[in-house]
Amino acid sequence: MTLRRRDAGATLQLVYVVLLFTSYRGAAEESEEQTESSEPRVAPWFTSEPPSRAVFASGAGARLACAARGDPPPAITWTTEDGQELLSDQHRRVYSNGSLEIAPTPTGTSVGGNGVSVVRCRASNAHGVALSAPVTLLPVADDSWEAVVTAWPAAVGGVAMLTCGVAGLSSTGDEDEGDELEVALWYHGERVIDVPPPTPETRYLSAGNTLLIRSVTERDAGTYGCLARHRATRRSRRARPAELRVSRGATGAVPAPAAAARTIRAAAGAAACLPCATSLHPGPHYTWYREREGRLQPVAGEGDTWIWAGGAALCVRAARTAAGAWLCKAYSALGDATARLRLLVDVPLTITLHPQLVVAASGSTVRFNCSASDEEAALSWRHDGAPVAGAGGAGTASLVLRGVTRAARGVYQCEARRGTRAAQASAELRLGG
């Protein structure tokens, strides 16, 4: 009898150990389901995507490339924003290698035909569907424009101002992009002006499409020209010269900042200068402000900013952290004037998605985490190309899938959009175990 009780007790202990091991193993497996798998991805993912903004000369057309990988190799097609497949016609040609060619478009007609202005690349195989970020088609008519130089009268000892503008160029209509032209060179007569990188001591200063010259002398009088280049098509044109007149003596008038460009573009991390010069001599008193959350904060030219020629321009050492609205006020005994400027920084919109491959057990919970480089970008989710209702956010977002089933397999994408800028990242979910 005692032996049987001992055997029964040993049996119960063995059952308890087995149950404990099984519970531990199940918990470990459930934990492993939330980590990224080291197995190769088989659902489609893009190795080459078209840009989210396709700016091109309407008379030349454009060609967009797209490539994706997967097992089996995915089929590449192109669709409209609402998912309709694009087929080759007189407006476009779809190639078997994944490229989309937009035909030259006469001014005033629809660029993609039938009102198509936003397209996507679509990659699909047996394991899922992936869509590229939306591509906004932005044609510009750049065959009839000309560069124009404007020169304001200057006084000896003051600051001279010249701007390089454009006439006859259509705009993309995107306020976040600023001017479509950039100034490649400045000329004084036939001599190319050496405009060095900006410092507080430089005599010549380039601020957007404006050239500023401090401590003007009579030798600075004469004709000035510029060479303007289209940002998208890279076509260049030299402007007809304009005459800079230089006079002696003081000038008296209400300050009038003459900078024609109210939007300045700069590369991320590069120095950038904002112009607020007037033709007064002696120069007025300048005060600079930065607008943040609807409030103006005075800028004294310290830290990451510095003042040029008493405030005729304000420069920032690293444009990445200086994007946004700026304001300059010029005061004299006869009155004051205000100039509002905007600094745009060319920072690519990027997106991060983790994990990129999950092999999950049926009924388990899976979480995907997404973040964008621009905290104000709107985030949304897709599953095999279809929007996931109620999922998204701004800056960062998570997608939680509870009790996954066979229907949950496939490609999950997080997409970031702000204006015409967009980016996407994809992940794959498989069922296993």
Side-chain angles (χ1 to χ4, degrees):
M1 185 69 176
T2 302
L3 181 59
R4 291 181 179 178
R5 288 179 179 176
R6 289 177 179 175
D7 292 343
T11 301
L12 289 175
Q13 290 179 356
L14 179 60
V15 170
Y16 175 76
V17 170
V18 170
L19 290 175
L20 181 63
F21 175 76
T22 303
S23 176
Y24 171 80
R25 181 181 179 185
E29 289 178 348
E30 184 176 356
S31 175
E32 289 174 358
E33 290 163 2
Q34 310 312 310
T35 61
E36 187 167 358
S37 174
S38 60
E39 298 181 21
R41 295 172 66 174
V42 295
W45 79 94
F46 291 104
T47 57
S48 175
E49 277 190 84
S52 61
R53 301 182 76 257
V55 184
F56 56 94
S58 58
R63 187 159 184 163
L64 306 176
C66 182
R69 296 182 62 183
D71 187 13
I76 303 294
T77 57
W78 288 82
T79 71
T80 61
E81 176 75 330
D82 59 3
Q84 299 295 318
E85 183 177 356
L86 291 176
L87 301 176
S88 296
D89 58 18
Q90 70 271 25
H91 301 289
R92 56 192 170 257
R93 181 178 296 276
V94 182
Y95 292 92
S96 58
N97 64 357
S99 297
L100 172 66
E101 185 177 36
I102 304 297
T105 306
T107 303
T109 61
S110 172
V111 59
N114 300 323
V116 175
S117 60
V118 179
V119 298
R120 289 180 185 263
C121 179
R122 183 179 187 272
S124 62
N125 67 8
H127 303 289
V129 176
L131 295 179
S132 73
V135 182
T136 302
L137 304 177
L138 298 170
V140 292
D142 73 335
D143 54 354
S144 60
W145 62 273
E146 61 177 340
V148 179
V149 173
T150 302
W152 279 262
V156 172
V159 176
M161 301 162 293
L162 304 106
T163 59
C164 182
V166 63
L169 177 64
S170 65
S171 171
T172 63
D174 190 345
E175 294 182 355
D176 288 337
E177 292 305 311
D179 294 333
E180 293 298 337
L181 290 186
E182 58 186 3
V183 180
L185 293 172
W186 284 97
Y187 300 88
H188 184 188
E190 292 300 317
R191 177 179 63 87
V192 175
I193 300 175
D194 180 18
V195 182
T199 70
E201 294 76 28
T202 51
R203 184 162 183 264
Y204 294 99
L205 186 77
S206 177
N209 72 337
T210 302
L211 177 68
L212 302 178
I213 309 172
R214 73 195 302 174
S215 303
V216 171
T217 69
E218 292 179 335
R219 291 194 301 271
D220 292 314
T223 58
Y224 285 80
C226 69
L227 181 68
R229 179 182 297 130
H230 194 281
R231 294 182 186 276
T233 65
R234 311 311 295 173
R235 293 183 182 177
S236 299
R237 285 180 171 83
R238 184 169 174 175
R240 292 195 302 269
E243 185 174 358
L244 173 65
R245 293 182 173 87
V246 177
S247 61
R248 285 186 170 274
T251 59
V254 175
R262 297 308 179 198
T263 300
I264 307 297
R265 288 181 58 165
C273 296
L274 307 174
C276 186
T278 76
S279 58
L280 299 185
H281 180 66
H285 174 72
Y286 296 98
T287 305
W288 282 89
Y289 302 86
R290 186 173 184 184
E291 184 177 337
R292 288 182 173 176
E293 298 179 353
R295 297 181 179 180
L296 295 178
Q297 300 177 352
V299 178
E302 300 175 350
D304 292 335
T305 63
W306 49 270
I307 299 296
W308 184 85
L314 179 138
C315 299
V316 295
R317 290 181 173 84
R320 178 182 292 272
T321 59
W326 296 77
L327 184 141
C328 170
K329 290 186 176 181
Y331 303 87
S332 76
L334 298 178
D336 60 80
T338 299
R340 296 180 180 273
L341 301 103
R342 192 174 177 207
L343 178 60
L344 297 178
V345 182
D346 292 328
V347 179
L349 178 60
T350 59
I351 199 166
T352 303
L353 176 59
H354 290 293
Q356 293 186 341
L357 173 59
V358 176
V359 180
S362 180
S364 64
T365 299
V366 173
R367 176 189 294 269
F368 293 108
N369 298 308
C370 176
S371 62
S373 59
D374 186 341
E375 295 182 354
E376 297 183 8
L379 299 183
S380 59
W381 291 89
R382 290 180 178 271
H383 175 214
D384 282 341
V388 178
T396 60
S398 296
L399 179 64
V400 180
L401 307 175
R402 294 182 172 87
V404 297
T405 64
R406 188 178 181 86
R409 299 179 306 167
V411 177
Y412 287 85
Q413 292 180 271
C414 180
E415 183 176 286
R417 298 185 74 165
R418 186 177 184 186
T420 57
R421 296 191 179 275
Q424 69 82 31
S426 66
E428 180 182 350
L429 172 60
R430 294 188 216 158
L431 293 188

